[in-house]
Amino acid sequence: MSETDALPRWQVDFDRWPYPAVCAHRGAGTLAPENTLAAFRVGASHGQSMFEFDVKLSADGKPFLLHDATLDRTTSGRGAAGGATLAELAQLDAGSWHSAPWAGEPVPAFANVVAWLRANGHLANVEIKPSPGREAETGALVAIAAAHAWRDAAVPPLLSSFSEAALAAARRTVPTLPYALLVDTLPEDWLERVRAHGCVALDANHRVLTEAVVSRAHAERLRVLCYTVNDPARAATLRGWGVDCVITDAVDTIRP
Ligand code: G3P
Ligand code: MG
């Protein structure tokens, strides 16, 4: 039996869309150190129920949370993020860069974050954020890890990526998870790309969205998410256009 044989057949599509209208970006945006468990706790304390976070692979092929390709900005480590093993990453301080109260906050393993999310009944948007050159490997391993971690959950995580190579590998490996294509600009062939990857949603920079794009996506039975929306008035406008979920740093003012 292969690693994916016994996985559930989750059904997430336009008509069966289980996610809330707001998703907390990197845990708590900028209120706490991004992509740490501390951030998720802060986000949850403001009523957030779905969390976006960035996942890449350690040198020993284990998924962990970090946004950048290097350790430098958000940890006490230096160099390529994918160059450290999970055990080495666990020794790093991912909180001091933000502010003193968070000193010592660890770089979380994906498995620890999933355990917390599931124990608290929260939903997830897992952004597959591969280290350069590891796109397909990251897509495949994150999809497998996610599918196993949520295997007995009614609602699976939504997986997204800017990397089409990562998305393709993820979907090849676990076709039954829901996927969204992330775009920072809107290519003319956005619909074809979303379709080609079997995605259930477009996840776009809110600055490139228009009401017409949202309507077109909906007409094609696709949901629309957008990032990173930090102005409540802008969030209301996007909601008025029918956007299904805004991903926000403003976890204290833009709530589900
Ligand atoms: O997943 C949405 C958003 O997080 C994409 O941009 O750079 O914040 O990961 P970034
Ligand atoms: Mg992200």
Side-chain angles (χ1 to χ4, degrees), residues 1-94:
M1 196 165 84
S2 89
E3 271 189 287
T4 53
D5 277 352
L7 291 171
R9 299 198 62 79
W10 293 284
Q11 302 281 333
V12 173
D13 55 28
F14 187 85
D15 298 312
R16 290 164 290 195
W17 183 251
Y19 305 113
V22 178
C23 177
H25 187 226
R26 306 184 196 174
T30 53
L31 294 183
E34 63 187 53
N35 287 315
T36 65
L37 267 175
F40 289 79
R41 290 194 176 97
V42 169
S45 77
H46 289 287
Q48 299 295 333
S49 59
M50 181 171 179
F51 296 85
E52 185 270 356
F53 50 97
D54 306 295
V55 180
K56 47 177 45 71
L57 295 181
S58 63
D60 49 342
K62 303 285 196 307
F64 72 100
L65 274 63
L66 198 82
H67 179 275
D68 295 2
T70 69
L71 299 167
D72 302 34
R73 180 178 64 89
T74 59
T75 81
S76 54
R78 292 293 171 265
T85 63
L86 196 66
E88 289 164 346
L89 290 164
Q91 303 304 313
L92 301 178
D93 174 349

Side-chain angles (χ1 to χ4, degrees), residues 61-132:
K62 303 285 196 307
F64 72 100
L65 274 63
L66 198 82
H67 179 275
D68 295 2
T70 69
L71 299 167
D72 302 34
R73 180 178 64 89
T74 59
T75 81
S76 54
R78 292 293 171 265
T85 63
L86 196 66
E88 289 164 346
L89 290 164
Q91 303 304 313
L92 301 178
D93 174 349
S96 288
W97 71 273
H98 182 278
S99 53
W102 307 109
E105 189 62 31
V107 175
F110 177 70
N112 295 343
V113 168
V114 176
W116 182 86
L117 288 168
R118 297 214 48 205
N120 288 282
H122 297 313
L123 301 179
N125 171 204
V126 178
E127 184 189 339
I128 306 169
K129 192 79 125 183
S131 294

